[in-house]
Amino acid sequence: MGLWEDLLRAGYQYAIDLEIDGIATIFPETSPRRVNSSAEMAAPSGYTVCPALLFDSGLVMSQEIDRETGIARGDAVDLCLAWEPLEEAGLTTSLFARPTKRVRLTADLAYGATSADVESTSGWTAGERGYIGHEQIEIGAITDGDTFGSLTRGIAGHANVYKASSPTSFSFVTDKPENFRGRWVILRKHLLSPEGRALDSTWTTGDWNRIIWRGRIDEQPRPTEFGMVLRALPLPRLASQEIGYEISMATMAPAEDPLAFADFPIVAQAGSYVLLTGTYSGPSSGTFSARVPAYTTETATTIGGWANQMRADIETALAAQPWFTAGEVQVGIVGAQLSDYLYHNGAPAGTLDVRIAFTAAYTVHITITILPTADTYWMKPGVFEGYAGLVNQPIFWWKDQLRIQMDHQAGAWLPVVQTEGQGYQDLTIPSSGAAIAEADGSKELIRWDRLLPGGTYDGTLKLLHISERGAGGTSLIPLAADTELKFVSGHTGTVGEVICTLLESSGTGLRGAYDTLAVGLGFGVADDSIDEAAITADVDLNLQTIAAYADGRTSLEELIGGWLAIHAKCLVQRRNAAGEFKLTIVNTEPFAVHGFTRALERADVELSSIGTPEPVAFGNEVKVTRSSIVSDTPPVIVQDIVAIQAAGPRSFEFTCPGMGETLAVQLGASRIAAGLGTATIQVALAPWFDGQIGDDLADKLAHPASYDWATGTRAPERLAAIFAGEQFCPFDGRRVGTFLLAGILREGLFLCPTATVLTVPTTSTVTTDIGSVTCFSPNDATFFALFYNPGNEGTESAELEVLADFELAAGTWPAWVAPGTKITFVALGGGNHAELEPVHIFQAPSRHWAA
Amino acid sequence: MNAYPTAIGAVGWLYGSVYTDGWATAVPGYRTIQIGASTYTIASGAAQPYWFWEWLTALDTAIGGGWGLALSGDTWTLGGGAPAVVTWLDRTGWLLGFDAEPGDAEPSASSLSPRAPSPAAVPLISCERPEAMSRDAQSKLQISKFGRGHGWTYGAADVYRCRVKLDRLGFDALNTGWLLSGMPVALSPFDVETHALGGATAYDGAYPNGYLTGRILGTDGDGSWVGELVYETTLLLAVEVP
């Protein structure tokens, strides 16, 4: 319990406010005066306040762990803004009314743009505010008849990307917001003293408020008898919303035709040179070296254009050489004859023909070196000596050595043409993403991180900057002409990274470090709503990189939910240790040996409102689907045939793309075990009880309705439980918690990591059969471990303090520590509970289990 | 002797509690007073919340410059030093019974007496002996819910029905809601001076006339005015069962 809870227990109350993304008005329930001023609470800078928030008596804000999907459930919340205060503040006409000004974008609007091209600025004035999509902007200047200038973007929210071609109102600037569905909403509690005075001076800020709920508006505003209702869903339910889109592309490859080679689109940049080196002797002698062509900026061009630039740059680079004959350099694509580069017979198509003339009085040797880099991905790398011509034809000549050979490695640019998915106007290849290429039954996952238009070529041509070939462990396939690339949604990374990336990506890069995917491929949740550190540090979920992709549209729940659920984890929103209310991952199993972060005491509950335990059904057959779009892996089915015969089948399925077989078997078995005797119980909670969803706790109610399966005791003094769900009625402040109680075989099935001593090289060190001890202690430099020899635990076991590599912190090994000695967790009471807690649950293939 | 006019003397008091700091954090609102140019703040560190009489003592300890709080029976006087302007920086003045807003200042004086009963020490001109409600009645209890989260009994507690009468000023003090917020309260036959001096005795089987601590769940039905001066109501007091 902390100060907040102490104050609630001492008669303090709270008022709730509502913040809506892109709306510069805060909607609290009331306008309390402050404890240190006679004034009412103030609006934060840039906002106004309208005390219109109204909660219906039947409204319940809920969140409940879902052990099958891995994503928390929660009811929709109707946020009602009362008519009278809305009307007094003029918001019925300024927020909830049809726009009187509405002008369409005529060009795409980037997230950082400070000017917008529109059809007409007529009727708009400088300093006016407008709305586009979910964003509020201030038009600082009317630049001209069709341009808004000096834009202030993302007022009271975030800047976004807009396309002029959008078929919806997201391509219109309006004077009143049109789009409410999808806006983020935040509910906060502000503490009030027992007389109802506010401790904070300003809404949404200060030391005495807490975010209690984040969500997303799910439908357009709905007028009701009492006010305008905004229906919102809790943030975790975002995970079931689909993202991504369906697009197919076809690759281009140079045909065996000189003209096709010449016209083949490439991207040249500073590194796209060949190295020209040589020596000369005769009237004078010396060496020379040049890098040609000498591009300084990234340039979308063709192989022919690049060759032509090379010709010009050779002329420049060698102009001062005494042996050089100016104006005679020829660079051609063999087979092609265009205006700037020449045709030569006698060499195979797909060859770069280079000729450099020299003065016959000199003897010249020239070498062309093509480095094996992605900057010249269209040329075969190597060192190539030219042929010196005869005295009466003094030309140095590379006739058939310089092969044009596409190598679309990472860093290269792949030309593609969109072949499918271009619906009404705005569905185009995203600037970054991933696609599956398929050939001869093999699949390859290719990722790109940038996209360029194809320059002067057909407008449908795009060049993808390849960031990874063979992603997700897929094999490389040849990218011949017309190889189909099918766009896939998702991301590659650890489970935590995939979650953060899909949640955060908005196409702007503004939401946080994981905002890396193009627009439409993520949810655009700002990083202040995501506990990135906790999600990516979860030791059970972040040991393995997976390729989490699905064909076309998919949801976070479909991609990753199975990984969470089978690991007994769930994505929820709750406060972290720093007091920040964010999306995070919690455990869902009441392990009896947990560290019990808190206890549920009789004084914390309404004793007359304790329900009876309800058994939780779970399966005796678990199917783990491991295939993904990039790999066809057989599913793992864990089943208990005897139990199925005895009790009938009860199946559950988890989708865990990329999961190894061993891990799937172990986790599937643990899921079956998890269903034995677990039960939930509902309890009315005091407002000051500080437990949150996902907390493991000791149920100390000793209520007659509870039962300890471990000891066969009724009304046990202490029972392991997980805070599995909560309902909160903001109308009357009533809280009801749902607790998942430990089942019949919990402790017997508890799994524990064990290492085996391999050698004892010194009196204080050992080597073991595990390379890492992070599963023992992810954070501590020293920790206690239990050393024992199986069968002789009575005399040969000890809890010893060791360093991260199992080296004794002090002293020497007992004499019985020898090869074969087992190392495992200490009894709970001897360890650091905070450190042991997150790793006490078996999850990862790198951990070893002893019989 | 009260500084404010009362029609009938009090026979008991309903005291509340005050929270000024905790968990190494100052809780604003009821802890600061400015006398002349000097600002005095209740020191941090004591067990919280203070009973009202403890809060008076803590405030007296904090005040310097020759000033202090002198308790006398069921009232108190702020004074003792050279005449000075007292400025209320937060709601301390209101809680002392001065009905003052933050920023208000009292005319320069060497002694100030409250103008009304404190919302945290409401005088009762009649208080019938609390009557324990049956468990069955408790489970069917329908009470007004003054604030969120209050009106229910948490933990093991017995609920007592206590019929009280208040004069108009006492009614106003109770009506501020301080004591009805669910905070710890004490229903006591002892005045504040007795409490502050340690002379008050808590209720137990051996001392049935002692003060009773608990939390007010609400009122049982609507109160009523008896004439124009006396308000009568029934408080529901939840008392923790050890």
Side-chain angles (χ1 to χ4, degrees):
Chain A
M1 190 173 293
L3 179 56
W4 180 282
E5 290 75 23
D6 272 356
L7 291 174
L8 289 178
R9 199 166 190 161
Y12 280 66
Q13 309 157 50
Y14 50 84
I16 298 175
D17 72 40
L18 167 67
E19 184 180 352
I20 305 173
D21 178 38
I23 304 296
T25 302
I26 302 296
F27 298 96
E29 300 173 281
T30 178
S31 290
R33 289 194 283 181
R34 314 172 201 170
V35 292
N36 56 3
S37 166
S38 59
E40 295 177 348
M41 285 185 76
S45 177
Y47 286 78
T48 60
V49 168
C50 176
L53 185 59
L54 190 67
F55 291 113
D56 184 80
S57 60
L59 178 70
V60 171
M61 295 158 60
S62 65
Q63 186 176 209
E64 190 171 354
I65 281 173
D66 189 325
R67 298 202 299 167
E68 295 181 33
T69 66
I71 308 294
R73 297 188 291 260
D75 293 327
V77 172
D78 281 349
L79 303 166
C80 182
L81 302 176
W83 289 126
E84 197 169 319
L86 283 181
E87 288 166 352
E88 284 177 7
L91 295 178
T92 46
T93 54
S94 63
L95 271 187
F96 300 110
R98 183 176 299 150
T100 55
K101 299 177 189 177
R102 197 167 190 269
V103 60
R104 189 181 189 109
L105 294 176
T106 55
D108 293 351
L109 184 62
Y111 59 86
T114 55
S115 68
D117 296 333
V118 294
E119 288 176 334
S120 170
T121 58
S122 175
W124 294 83
T125 56
E128 193 171 357
R129 289 197 175 183
Y131 298 87
I132 179 169
H134 294 156
E135 184 180 345
Q136 187 174 170
I137 60 174
E138 184 172 296
I139 302 166
I142 305 298
T143 307
D144 53 36
D146 54 10
T147 309
F148 291 139
S150 302
L151 298 180
T152 302
R153 303 287 303 275
I155 294 172
H158 301 93
N160 285 299
V161 176
Y162 303 96
K163 294 188 173 185
S165 60
S166 288
T168 69
S169 54
F170 274 68
S171 60
F172 286 85
V173 178
T174 59
D175 62 340
K176 300 168 188 175
E178 287 187 305
N179 298 286
F180 279 86
R181 184 167 184 266
R183 289 181 186 268
W184 311 116
V185 291
I186 296 173
L187 290 173
R188 278 186 195 78
K189 282 180 181 174
H190 284 266
L191 270 186
L192 306 179
S193 75
E195 59 162 323
R197 292 269 183 154
L199 275 63
D200 282 325
S201 299
T202 307
W203 291 107
T204 77
T205 60
D207 299 327
W208 304 99
N209 67 85
R210 274 182 177 176
I211 294 176
I212 58 166
W213 195 84
R214 291 182 193 269
R216 197 178 197 193
I217 296 175
D218 190 46
E219 59 186 32
Q220 288 293 93
R222 172 166 44 95
T224 68
E225 180 183 0
F226 301 107
M228 190 67 79
V229 168
L230 301 168
R231 190 174 185 81
L233 296 176
L235 203 54
R237 285 185 61 175
L238 201 62
S240 61
Q241 178 183 311
E242 290 191 333
I243 47 175
Y245 30 77
E246 295 180 5
I247 290 179
S248 289
M249 302 160 274
T251 60
M252 287 181 64
E256 292 296 325
D257 176 296
L259 285 173
F261 274 107
D263 290 344
F264 194 75
I266 59 169
V267 176
Q269 51 201 331
S272 303
Y273 59 81
V274 302
L275 190 60
L276 209 63
T277 56
T279 63
Y280 62 91
S281 59
S284 60
S285 62
T287 62
F288 58 90
S289 174
R291 294 178 174 184
V292 288
Y295 284 93
T296 55
T297 57
E298 193 174 84
T299 306
T301 180
T302 61
I303 294 177
W306 175 79
N308 189 41
Q309 185 66 44
M310 181 192 293
R311 184 196 58 76
D313 288 350
I314 291 174
E315 290 279 4
T316 304
L318 301 182
Q321 295 296 322
W323 54 269
F324 181 67
T325 304
E328 298 293 331
V329 174
Q330 300 174 8
V331 178
I333 309 297
V334 173
Q337 183 171 17
L338 300 176
S339 56
D340 292 323
Y341 42 89
L342 302 176
Y343 164 83
H344 295 281
N345 282 320
T351 303
L352 197 66
D353 187 311
V354 179
R355 301 182 185 197
I356 301 174
F358 60 92
T359 305
Y362 284 86
T363 299
V364 180
H365 292 283
I366 312 176
T367 298
I368 287 180
T369 302
I370 299 175
L371 300 173
T373 73
D375 293 336
T376 47
Y377 61 88
W378 55 92
M379 297 300 298
K380 181 181 179 182
V383 180
F384 306 101
E385 284 279 351
Y387 306 105
L390 303 174
V391 172
N392 62 351
Q393 192 183 13
I395 294 175
F396 224 81
W397 185 15
W398 290 263
K399 177 181 166 186
D400 55 5
Q401 302 105 306
L402 307 177
R403 299 282 302 172
I404 297 171
Q405 177 178 301
M406 291 295 157
D407 179 8
H408 285 112
Q409 57 185 293
W413 294 78
L414 178 66
V416 296
V417 175
Q418 185 172 337
T419 58
E420 185 188 339
Q422 195 153 9
Y424 176 71
Q425 294 185 339
D426 76 335
L427 191 55
T428 57
I429 301 171
S431 57
S432 65
I436 286 289
E438 194 166 357
D440 299 329
S442 296
K443 290 178 179 177
E444 181 188 352
L445 181 63
I446 299 173
R447 298 172 67 193
W448 68 94
D449 57 4
R450 296 171 58 204
L451 176 142
L452 283 180
T456 59
Y457 298 92
D458 184 342
T460 62
L461 175 68
K462 306 289 183 190
L463 288 162
L464 310 181
H465 185 253
I466 299 172
S467 59
E468 187 178 6
R469 292 285 305 268
T474 54
S475 55
L476 298 179
I477 64 171
L479 295 176
D482 294 330
T483 301
E484 186 185 37
L485 291 179
K486 204 159 189 179
F487 182 80
V488 292
S489 304
H491 188 61
T492 299
T494 64
V495 173
E497 290 167 349
V498 171
I499 291 173
C500 290
T501 303
L502 294 185
L503 284 174
E504 207 164 293
S505 289
S506 68
T508 67
L510 299 176
R511 304 295 190 272
Y514 288 94
D515 184 0
T516 56
L517 303 183
V519 64
L521 301 181
F523 297 106
V525 180
D527 60 358
D528 62 1
S529 301
I530 306 169
D531 197 339
E532 297 172 351
I535 292 174
T536 57
D538 188 299
V539 73
D540 299 316
L541 298 173
N542 292 286
L543 295 174
Q544 179 184 350
T545 294
I546 61 170
Y549 291 97
D551 192 358
R553 282 195 174 142
T554 188
S555 69
L556 182 61
E557 182 178 313
E558 288 175 20
L559 284 174
I560 291 295
W563 272 86
L564 297 177
I566 202 168
H567 277 91
K569 308 273 183 184
C570 190
L571 183 71
V572 304
Q573 54 177 347
R574 53 169 276 161
R575 285 191 319 281
N576 61 16
E580 302 159 331
F581 190 83
K582 294 182 172 183
L583 286 169
T584 189
I585 292 173
V586 297
N587 290 325
T588 65
E589 292 295 332
F591 282 88
V593 286
H594 260 199
F596 295 132
T597 53
R598 56 183 47 79
L600 182 65
E601 309 273 4
R602 294 167 68 87
D604 296 328
V605 306
E606 193 182 339
L607 289 172
S608 60
S609 298
I610 297 179
T612 53
E614 296 288 336
V616 178
F618 220 83
N620 47 22
E621 181 177 76
V622 170
K623 180 178 180 183
V624 184
T625 303
R626 301 180 297 135
S627 290
S628 71
I629 192 79
V630 297
S631 66
D632 293 322
T633 313
V636 168
I637 300 177
V638 184
Q639 53 191 355
D640 186 338
I641 297 296
V642 177
I644 290 173
Q645 176 182 299
R650 189 175 281 174
S651 300
F652 287 87
E653 183 168 348
F654 299 97
T655 301
C656 309
M659 181 173 283
E661 183 177 340
T662 305
L663 184 61
V665 169
Q666 291 173 334
L667 290 174
S670 74
R671 290 302 81 215
I672 291 176
L676 289 171
T678 50
T680 59
I681 190 168
Q682 287 201 318
V683 177
L685 297 169
W688 53 80
F689 178 64
D690 62 346
Q692 298 185 83
I693 189 168
D695 281 344
D696 60 316
L697 45 80
D699 172 356
K700 293 186 175 177
L701 298 177
H703 195 271
S706 59
Y707 188 81
D708 186 352
W709 286 89
T711 60
T713 309
R714 290 178 56 223
E717 291 185 1
R718 177 178 160 130
L719 201 56
I722 281 276
F723 195 149
E726 180 174 6
Q727 298 172 9
F728 168 65
C729 174
F731 176 79
D732 57 17
R734 200 165 170 78
R735 299 171 70 194
V736 176
T738 301
F739 298 90
L740 184 67
L741 306 175
I744 191 168
L745 288 179
R746 296 300 325 148
E747 294 171 27
L749 287 176
F750 181 69
L751 301 172
C752 183
T754 302
T756 303
V757 173
L758 296 180
T759 65
V760 187
T762 73
T763 56
S764 63
T765 62
V766 291
T767 63
T768 70
D769 61 343
I770 63 171
S772 166
V773 295
T774 54
C775 61
F776 272 78
S777 178
N779 300 316
D780 277 357
T782 66
F783 58 99
F784 281 88
L786 174 65
F787 289 70
Y788 68 100
N789 285 331
N792 297 315
E793 290 89 345
T795 55
E796 298 180 354
S797 68
E799 293 179 355
L800 303 172
E801 187 175 16
V802 293
L803 307 177
D805 56 359
F806 288 121
E807 180 180 356
L808 265 179
T812 60
W813 295 121
W816 48 265
V817 171
T821 296
K822 299 291 185 185
I823 311 171
T824 188
F825 280 145
V826 298
L828 182 65
N832 179 335
H833 297 188
E835 290 303 326
L836 291 179
E837 181 186 341
V839 297
H840 244 299
I841 308 168
F842 145 75
Q843 311 288 342
S846 62
R847 298 182 187 174
H848 295 237
W849 311 108
Chain B
M1 181 64 66
N2 287 319
Y4 44 85
T6 54
I8 310 169
V11 298
W13 291 266
L14 188 61
Y15 296 107
S17 49
V18 189
Y19 212 114
T20 61
D21 73 280
W23 300 76
T25 304
V27 179
Y30 308 92
R31 63 197 310 263
T32 306
I33 189 170
Q34 181 179 333
I35 301 174
S38 300
T39 299
Y40 304 104
T41 301
I42 293 178
S44 300
Q48 299 279 336
Y50 286 116
W51 283 111
F52 179 67
W53 55 87
E54 294 173 333
W55 178 74
L56 291 176
T57 303
L59 191 61
D60 177 54
T61 302
I63 296 171
W67 281 64
L69 270 175
L71 305 184
S72 174
D74 65 349
T75 190
W76 46 89
T77 303
L78 180 64
V85 173
V86 171
T87 305
W88 309 111
L89 301 178
D90 56 15
R91 293 287 278 174
T92 299
W94 175 82
L95 200 57
L96 282 170
F98 285 90
D99 194 21
E101 280 292 329
D104 287 354
E106 303 293 334
S108 180
S110 58
S111 176
L112 297 169
S113 294
R115 295 184 279 271
S118 164
V122 174
L124 308 172
I125 59 176
S126 169
C127 177
E128 296 178 11
R129 181 171 291 277
E131 169 194 356
M133 297 178 68
S134 71
R135 297 278 176 175
D136 185 52
Q138 285 183 38
S139 66
K140 296 175 181 171
L141 193 61
Q142 295 294 321
I143 56 175
S144 63
K145 299 173 179 62
F146 175 78
R148 287 186 174 121
H150 302 295
W152 295 287
T153 310
Y154 296 105
D158 283 333
V159 179
Y160 289 85
R161 185 185 277 124
C162 181
R163 189 148 193 84
V164 297
K165 292 178 182 173
L166 307 98
D167 65 10
R168 183 166 289 277
L169 290 172
F171 169 79
D172 289 344
L174 185 68
N175 203 35
T176 64
W178 188 270
L179 296 171
L180 304 178
S181 63
M183 66 168 50
V185 297
L187 184 61
S188 174
F190 304 107
D191 61 33
V192 70
E193 183 183 15
T194 305
H195 273 286
L197 295 175
T201 307
Y203 166 88
D204 63 20
Y207 193 77
N209 292 325
Y211 65 88
L212 194 61
T213 60
R215 295 168 193 266
I216 294 179
L217 298 178
T219 56
D220 190 10
D222 296 329
S224 60
W225 286 96
V226 182
E228 293 183 353
L229 296 177
V230 177
Y231 182 78
E232 187 175 45
T233 188
T234 300
L235 301 175
L236 295 169
L237 183 68
V239 177
E240 186 179 359
V241 176

